[in-house]
Amino acid sequence: MEKHICIKVTGKVQGVGFRYHAQKMANESGIKGFVKNEYDGSVYIEASGKKENVYQFVNWCYNGSKWAMVEDVEITENTTQHFGHFYIK
């Protein structure tokens, strides 16, 4: 079953390779969508894929890249989007 979620990650998540590592993890997990930096210092992600893969990706978001210091992860469900791959905006 396909699942699509929107994720907002806050903390020290910009300038620490978070987007690059999110893309790497998404590709390894079969997740499609995108990741981008927001003006408020957070990172915004849209992720689509098999339910179990999406949850695995969300679990990764709670830690992020090696240099990140994640403070919070907000998740909202959305209608399924059909992305061709996972990319950095």
Side-chain angles (χ1 to χ4, degrees), residues 5-64:
I5 59 171
C6 302
I7 308 166
K8 181 178 181 177
V9 185
T10 56
K12 184 181 176 188
V13 292
Q14 289 189 13
V16 292
F18 193 96
R19 292 177 301 155
Y20 168 79
H21 289 285
Q23 182 183 42
K24 183 176 185 288
M25 183 60 170
N27 289 333
E28 290 173 3
S29 303
I31 300 297
K32 298 186 183 343
F34 66 86
V35 59
K36 68 177 185 170
N37 284 340
E38 295 285 67
Y39 292 111
D40 65 0
S42 67
V43 169
Y44 177 76
I45 303 167
E46 290 206 22
S48 290
K50 291 182 182 178
K51 187 176 179 179
E52 59 273 10
N53 294 352
V54 169
Y55 287 132
Q56 177 185 6
F57 181 75
V58 168
N59 285 335
W60 176 87
C61 288
Y62 280 95
N63 294 307

Side-chain angles (χ1 to χ4, degrees), residues 50-81:
K50 291 182 182 178
K51 187 176 179 179
E52 59 273 10
N53 294 352
V54 169
Y55 287 132
Q56 177 185 6
F57 181 75
V58 168
N59 285 335
W60 176 87
C61 288
Y62 280 95
N63 294 307
S65 65
K66 185 168 134 176
W67 303 277
M69 296 181 72
V70 176
E71 291 176 5
D72 193 32
V73 177
E74 296 175 29
I75 302 163
T76 55
E77 294 196 28
N78 204 340
T79 56
T80 300
Q81 303 291 318

